[in-house]
Amino acid sequence: MTDAREDGYDAFLDALEAGEGYYYECSSGHGTLPPRRACPHCGDRELATATLPSTGEIVTFTLVTVPTPQFKDEAPYITAIATFGPIRLTGIVRGIDRENVEIGREVTVVIERDETTDERTITFRP
Amino acid sequence: MSKAFIAGTGMTAFGTHPRRSGRDMFAEAGLAALEDAGLESEEIDEVFYGNFIGTVSENQGHQGPLVAEAVGTTAPARRVESACASSGLAIRDAVRAVRSGEADVVVAGGMERMSNMGTAGATDGLARAADDLFEVQSGVTFPAAYALMARAYFDTFGGDREDLAHVAVKNHDHALVNDHAHLQEEIAVDDVLDAPEIATPLGLYDACPISDGAAAIVLLSPSYAAERGLDTGVAITGSGHGGDTMALQDRRSLAKTPATREAANEAYTDAGIDPTDIGLVEVHDCFTIAEVLALEGLGMYGYGEALGAARRGETRRGGELPVNLSGGLKAKGHPVGATGAAQIAAVQTLLNGTHPRSDAVDDDVTVGLAHNAGGTVASASVHVLEVMA
């Protein structure tokens, strides 16, 4: 658990929480997420802000039985990586029965709190 | 490029040693390597030491000089941290020091002690090898990260948990004669499939244990070895290092590990070999899926083709390409910072006939490879070892 987060990351979570998610796009068209001053794929420093699509698609997921301390009260829980346009996000899946979580499933991204430490966490819901 | 001779190797037994300090474990491994080399501590020019989480687990930073002292020298020493690739990269730095002519005698290795943190503490600690903001804060543990890759692999190329189980069964079998291994226990495919889940599709027996231990090697410059008439049976002839984004979500493919491919290509070019010259391999199998990803990244198999290798017997002892004859991380154990050095020690001793599994190495095998990965392969080191004529 991180006591002091990064300004850029907190601002990103604030925007997601307000339903105004964004990402960075470099001049070569690579998508990336804040905090970032350069594109990790090509080093470009011209990062324009673009609107994050509100719905995404699960590309992989796992049911975690042995959790990190931050999620100990929630285990077992599902963590997934989902594609939102040109970027991917990693988040906790809530509101979908476990057996219905599958690759290709459409999800929306919201910000919720974890049950153990009340920290904000990226969350995927139907 | 000049060679770096491996004059000696040493390691502690890998296992659960919560009451042994890191400095003591590294002293055991480092002094054994010096003894194996026939060298004294005063001859050491430099020490390169791999360690991941000692600042937390042992409440001790600045461990380079501490462990140098433990092997009887105040020579310049540094700690190299690159998660599970810490000592693979410490050895790469050592190879470069020897090849550049700046050092003649180098001790390189690593140590980790984690069992004293308990399972929850070690799980939390190991998660630090993932991206804190974009992975750990979203519930990703280290097994979860590999589970995300495993499911993506199945989705891309096909296969299932049973294919992975054969990797675990094979590596346990290989460790049965290795008294330094953490787990000397024969298992069956059903044991793997029936084990408790950790992060689906991976279960307890898809994962390496949380181990404590240390490993070290002594590297020599060719001129020093010749001058002193020291053993020059096996040398590191190729070294490579590849990198990738820290978080899985930023990777182009979740079913491939390009950092391994980059490191391998660099090492092959450096040694002037190609993958078909290699007769035995120690790869980073922290989870069963990791061995599959490694063999494909190394170019030993095409993408999507290594999953069945253990099931088909190709990578077993007696197979065409024995993989992880030491037992691998899966059964030999994975004291994170010691692993890369232990792999190189295993390849060296398998090639020179002193490893308990050397009988599984064909007489015509003269080239071996060690692959060490950090995090979800945001770092990879590859070393080629060759028997010198």
Side-chain angles (χ1 to χ4, degrees), chain A:
Chain A
M1 189 188 332
T2 312
D3 293 331
R5 303 262 181 94
E6 295 222 24
D7 286 349
Y9 178 73
D10 278 335
F12 174 68
L13 293 191
D14 290 344
L16 276 180
E17 205 160 21
E20 295 166 358
Y22 59 88
Y23 66 96
Y24 293 149
E25 188 177 59
C26 78
S27 46
S28 308
H30 299 128
T32 188
L33 294 167
R36 210 70 100 176
R37 290 170 190 266
C39 173
H41 301 292
C42 68
D44 184 29
R45 297 184 195 180
E46 300 296 320
L47 302 178
T49 300
T51 302
L52 185 78
S54 56
T55 60
E57 199 173 275
I58 290 175
V59 293
T60 187
F61 65 94
T62 176
L63 176 73
V64 181
T65 312
V66 182
T68 56
Q70 184 183 336
F71 292 90
K72 69 179 167 65
D73 296 335
E74 207 160 335
Y77 57 88
I78 291 180
T79 286
I81 298 177
T83 298
F84 294 81
I87 66 104
R88 293 198 191 111
L89 285 172
T90 310
I92 298 275
V93 177
R94 288 178 176 152
I96 306 176
D97 289 341
R98 270 183 217 158
E99 58 273 21
N100 292 332
V101 176
E102 57 187 8
I103 292 171
R105 167 97 196 206
E106 194 174 271
V107 289
T108 57
V109 56
V110 292
I111 297 299
E112 295 183 359
R113 305 264 166 180
D114 74 77
E115 293 173 15
T116 310
T117 64
D118 204 36
E119 293 276 354
R120 293 195 293 181
T121 187
I122 292 171
T123 306
F124 299 144
R125 283 194 169 270

Side-chain angles (χ1 to χ4, degrees), chain B residues 279-298:
Chain B
L280 70 96
V281 190
E282 291 283 314
V283 300
H284 197 92
D285 59 324
C286 49
F287 297 93
T288 47
I289 184 66
E291 177 166 311
V292 174
L293 295 168
L295 291 172
E296 293 176 10
L298 291 167

Side-chain angles (χ1 to χ4, degrees), chain B residues 220-245:
Chain B
L220 295 184
S221 67
S223 58
Y224 194 85
E227 200 178 293
R228 293 284 310 272
L230 292 164
D231 175 30
T232 52
V234 177
I236 293 178
T237 58
S239 175
H241 180 189
D244 206 341
T245 60

Side-chain angles (χ1 to χ4, degrees), chain B residues 344-361:
Chain B
I344 293 197
V347 174
Q348 192 252 8
T349 51
L350 284 162
L351 286 174
N352 74 11
T354 58
H355 191 280
R357 275 287 181 221
S358 288
D359 60 356
V361 180

Side-chain angles (χ1 to χ4, degrees), chain B residues 145-158:
Chain B
Y146 272 91
L148 292 168
M149 297 170 86
R151 196 182 303 277
Y153 184 97
F154 292 159
D155 183 57
T156 307
F157 300 117

Side-chain angles (χ1 to χ4, degrees), chain B residues 206-279:
Chain B
D206 286 288
C208 64
I210 292 164
S211 312
D212 306 320
I217 66 171
V218 178
L219 287 178
L220 295 184
S221 67
S223 58
Y224 194 85
E227 200 178 293
R228 293 284 310 272
L230 292 164
D231 175 30
T232 52
V234 177
I236 293 178
T237 58
S239 175
H241 180 189
D244 206 341
T245 60
M246 182 77 168
L248 285 173
Q249 66 185 25
D250 293 317
R251 308 263 174 92
R252 286 189 179 87
S253 168
L254 299 175
K256 294 178 185 172
T257 52
T260 293
R261 176 60 57 98
E262 271 178 43
N265 286 342
E266 187 181 2
Y268 298 153
T269 302
D270 191 17
I273 62 154
D274 65 55
T276 58
D277 296 317
I278 295 163

